[in-house]
Amino acid sequence: MSAAEGAPEPHTGWTFVTNHARVLASIADDRHARIRDIAARCRLTERAVQKIIADLEQSGYLSHTRNGRGNRYRIAPDGVLRHPAEAGLTVASLLAMLVRDEAERQGTAEGAPTDR
């Protein structure tokens, strides 16, 4: 599938944020998001998003309920991050940083500081 057909652009090299964190932040922004929309926003394939959602559900960070033809996701905000270097940090603290940053980039954070 080419970029013209909707496939994400390839990326090489490392990044600061994992795909799991991107998917979780996307879901936090829209609890009713379709896998197709999450994939487009995160620049991943739908199959990759499905696998990441399954990983997050299996580990207890995420759950979903059917809502008509779609899903409604629920994030476990008190879930503790997995890596020992982040011991004690919760999903909520990670999302607070990622979702706020996304809102600021899109100009939707009212009253948020703009200089860092």
Side-chain angles (χ1 to χ4, degrees):
M1 214 185 208
S2 71
E5 296 174 14
E9 295 176 20
H11 178 273
T12 58
W14 62 274
T15 64
F16 283 101
V17 180
T18 68
N19 289 338
H20 283 66
R22 282 189 192 94
V23 168
L24 199 59
S26 182
I27 290 170
D29 191 49
D30 180 0
R31 304 295 170 103
H32 298 281
R34 298 176 303 169
I35 288 178
R36 173 183 304 166
D37 299 329
I38 297 167
R41 182 174 180 183
C42 297
R43 300 175 90 170
L44 298 168
T45 64
E46 290 179 34
R47 187 171 186 91
V49 170
Q50 289 172 331
K51 171 139 181 26
I52 289 168
I53 288 173
D55 289 346
L56 293 169
E57 286 185 323
Q58 184 178 16
S59 296
Y61 293 105
L62 183 68
S63 61
H64 77 275
T65 54
R66 289 297 284 170
N67 187 12
R69 291 179 14 190
N71 291 316
R72 173 161 171 67
Y73 296 98
R74 184 187 173 290
I75 295 171
D78 296 330
V80 178
L81 301 184
R82 294 167 47 115
H83 196 280
E86 289 99 32
L89 291 177
T90 64
V91 168
S93 63
L94 172 68
L95 291 175
M97 179 185 67
L98 293 176
V99 173
R100 182 185 69 230
D101 182 62
E102 178 68 19
E104 288 174 6
R105 284 190 286 141
Q106 294 181 4
T108 58
E110 295 179 20
T114 56
D115 59 325
R116 292 185 194 215

